[in-house]
Amino acid sequence: MAITAEHIREKLTAEIGAVHVEVEDTSPNRCAASFKVLVVSPQFEGKTLLQRHRMVNSCLAEELKEIHAFEQKTLTREQWEKQNAQ
C-alpha cells in the first residue's frame, strides 16, 4: 500500500469527520516513513487527549503498520478557532 499525505488526509476526513487536516511527510527524503498530522474534528468534543489519539490511531491502524514515526495533534473546532484567533 502506498501511503501518501493525501491518503491520510482523505481517510481522516472520511472516518473521523475532520473539518481540517494537515499532513506533513517528515521523512528526511520524503519516503513516507514519518508523518506529522494536525486533525480538527467535532467528534473530539468531550474526549480526552488519549481518547482522541486512539481514534486517530484506530482510523489509521493499517497505515501505522508501515509508518515508522507518527506525530499527531488533535483539536476540537473550538480549540482550532481559538488557536487561530491569536
Side-chain angles (χ1 to χ4, degrees):
M1 165 179 27
I3 301 170
T4 64
E6 187 61 30
H7 170 79
I8 291 172
R9 183 180 302 104
E10 288 174 2
K11 193 162 185 185
L12 289 168
T13 301
E15 294 188 20
I16 297 185
V19 294
H20 181 82
V21 180
E22 294 175 18
V23 183
E24 179 184 351
D25 183 346
T26 56
S27 311
N29 57 358
R30 302 292 183 244
C31 64
S34 176
F35 288 94
K36 178 179 181 180
V37 299
L38 166 66
V39 185
V40 181
S41 174
Q43 291 186 26
F44 295 151
E45 199 69 49
K47 302 264 192 304
T48 66
L49 184 60
L50 181 58
Q51 289 171 321
R52 295 174 188 189
H53 284 202
R54 285 180 175 161
M55 288 173 68
V56 171
N57 291 346
S58 292
C59 175
L60 298 174
E62 287 302 309
E63 291 79 2
L64 290 175
K65 291 176 185 177
E66 307 293 325
I67 296 172
H68 298 288
F70 186 73
E71 179 184 339
Q72 62 180 294
K73 183 172 186 179
T74 53
L75 301 172
T76 63
R77 187 180 296 211
E78 181 181 345
Q79 289 170 323
W80 171 246
E81 289 170 358
K82 192 177 197 179
Q83 178 178 303
N84 288 325
Q86 298 174 2

